[in-house]
Amino acid sequence: MNILEENDFVRLYTFIQKKYGINLSKKKQLIEGRLNSTIFAMGYSDFSEYVDFILTKSTQKDIELLLNKLTTNYTYFMREKAHFDFFSQNILPQLVKTKKDKVLSVWSAGCSTGQEPYTLSILMKEFLGKEAPRWDTRVLATDISQKVLLQAQKGAYPEDSLKDMPSEWVRKYFSRVDNTDQYEVTTALKSNIIFKPFNLMDPIQFKIPFDVIFCRNVMIYFNQETKDALVDRLYASTNQGGYLIIGLSETINKSTSKYKYVMPAVYRKI
Ligand SMILES: C[S@@+](CC[C@H](N)C(=O)[O-])C[C@H]1O[C@@H](n2cnc3c(N)ncnc32)[C@H](O)[C@@H]1O
């Protein structure tokens, strides 16, 4: 087994932290364990050579392979359901009353394989019912990983993963893929999601500010400084009265953030 020397470890985690916000400074063992066979299979003789490559010549694809090894894209339908209930029962009724332009701008930031943005889109359609065609309910769904975005765009999920969804939604918004246990999101629902690669460390320059930003279980990897700076950028991209929803195990700095606390993991710009 190759040893990850301290200076290579520091070079690697500093690079990842600066560029992608992900804090791996306490994950030496994890890096060693997860990358050992990969770097050997890729033809590098040791970690030092691999770290040199990453820092000087790597492409976005090389970095992505690395991040895929070291971080998790874990997600599932109806994760932290309380947020979806709050979205349907509190946020949507308010927005529908106040948005004269009939545009609901919703962003799933760190969308992984798509379960979150598809659910948000379903919730909007269900809430609006017959009125839905009169509203712009497109969801922006972004992630740093092209790999998960491709899976998200494909929108095919094992039957078992839909078990927590109301069966009526499965009938309306999914169709079974012949001779498999997979269910695929309907074309109509897929066309309601705009999937885009986006690094949350970059300036946020989307066309319009958002009424609701779901950024759940993404900042777990970020250190406080990176998190605070991201929350500031998210705040600047939130409409007045709009919401930021983070993961239930995450916190934002209540003393420095301009968002007002609403309930666990739910914040508002007021
Ligand atoms: C654990 S998943 C969360 C998925 C979903 N939001 C949920 O709560 O189930 C975290 C996602 O954040 C993405 N991510 C991590 N760092 C990122 C960054 N700097 N910019 C954009 N996405 C990032 C990962 O690729 C991963 O897909």
Side-chain angles (χ1 to χ4, degrees):
M1 167 148 162
N2 272 309
I3 303 290
L4 175 59
E5 300 292 348
E6 188 63 21
N7 77 315
D8 291 325
F9 170 55
V10 174
R11 286 197 302 144
L12 188 61
Y13 82 64
T14 309
F15 171 81
I16 294 175
Q17 172 138 2
K18 256 200 179 137
K19 255 189 123 173
Y20 303 97
I22 299 167
N23 178 9
L24 297 169
S25 64
K26 296 199 174 69
K27 305 279 181 188
K28 188 160 187 274
Q29 261 186 328
L30 177 134
I31 297 180
E32 236 169 17
R34 296 218 181 147
L35 292 185
N36 221 291
S37 53
T38 318
I39 64 164
F40 192 65
M42 287 166 90
Y44 298 99
S45 52
D46 54 27
F47 271 106
S48 196
E49 203 184 315
Y50 176 69
V51 174
D52 283 346
F53 165 75
I54 288 293
L55 267 59
T56 58
K57 299 194 201 92
S58 57
T59 62
Q60 186 59 34
K61 224 170 169 191
D62 299 314
I63 302 281
E64 206 171 283
L65 196 86
L66 170 66
L67 293 182
N68 282 338
K69 290 262 166 210
L70 301 178
T71 63
T72 169
N73 303 114
Y74 183 61
T75 185
Y76 51 92
F77 280 109
M78 310 306 282
R79 183 179 198 178
E80 300 177 1
K81 182 175 173 291
H83 296 152
F84 295 125
D85 291 343
F86 187 77
F87 179 70
S88 293
Q89 291 162 18
N90 298 70
I91 301 180
L92 286 177
Q94 282 166 21
L95 287 177
V96 166
K97 254 193 235 153
T98 52
K99 297 281 305 216
K100 301 281 174 258
D101 57 2
K102 293 198 185 301
V103 177
L104 300 176
S105 48
V106 177
W107 179 17
S108 166
C111 65
S112 189
T113 40
Q115 288 85 339
E116 183 177 274
Y118 284 129
T119 306
L120 291 171
S121 184
I122 291 175
L123 289 169
M124 284 192 271
K125 285 186 185 296
E126 288 294 304
F127 182 81
L128 291 166
K130 285 199 185 90
E131 283 295 302
R134 284 190 248 284
W135 285 76
D136 182 349
T137 57
R138 285 172 299 171
V139 176
L140 174 67
T142 64
D143 202 284
I144 196 166
S145 162
Q146 195 71 45
K147 188 174 157 204
V148 292
L149 285 175
L150 284 173
Q151 270 175 266
Q153 269 163 315
K154 195 161 177 254
Y157 304 95
E159 180 174 11
D160 184 50
S161 69
L162 304 175
K163 64 181 185 318
D164 295 328
M165 274 203 166
S167 48
E168 196 202 327
W169 293 7
V170 178
R171 274 198 305 278
K172 262 166 111 170
Y173 300 106
F174 293 81
S175 50
R176 185 189 268 280
V177 182
D178 288 346
N179 305 319
T180 68
D181 80 329
Q182 302 274 304
Y183 275 68
E184 190 170 337
V185 174
T186 57
T187 315
L189 190 64
K190 279 186 198 175
S191 67
N192 211 40
I193 320 284
I194 303 163
F195 289 106
K196 272 197 171 129
F198 180 69
N199 181 355
L200 285 164
M201 295 295 281
D202 291 342
I204 299 170
Q205 292 169 331
F206 296 112
K207 275 188 211 124
I208 53 168
F210 298 95
D211 296 312
V212 189
I213 301 174
F214 274 70
C215 186
R216 303 187 306 162
N217 305 299
V218 180
M219 291 189 271
I220 26 172
Y221 303 110
F222 297 178
N223 67 18
Q224 197 58 49
E225 196 188 334
T226 308
K227 247 198 291 191
D228 290 350
L230 172 58
V231 170
D232 279 351
R233 289 194 298 280
L234 294 174
Y235 186 86
S237 309
T238 305
N239 272 328
Q240 199 60 35
Y243 290 85
L244 168 67
I245 300 184
I246 62 174
L248 276 175
S249 62
E250 299 173 298
T251 48
I252 66 172
N253 197 332
K254 283 184 202 155
S255 58
T256 57
S257 167
K258 293 191 220 103
Y259 281 113
K260 295 283 168 278
Y261 174 84
V262 177
M263 60 184 244
V266 178
Y267 297 84
R268 191 169 191 200
K269 179 169 177 172
I270 33 177

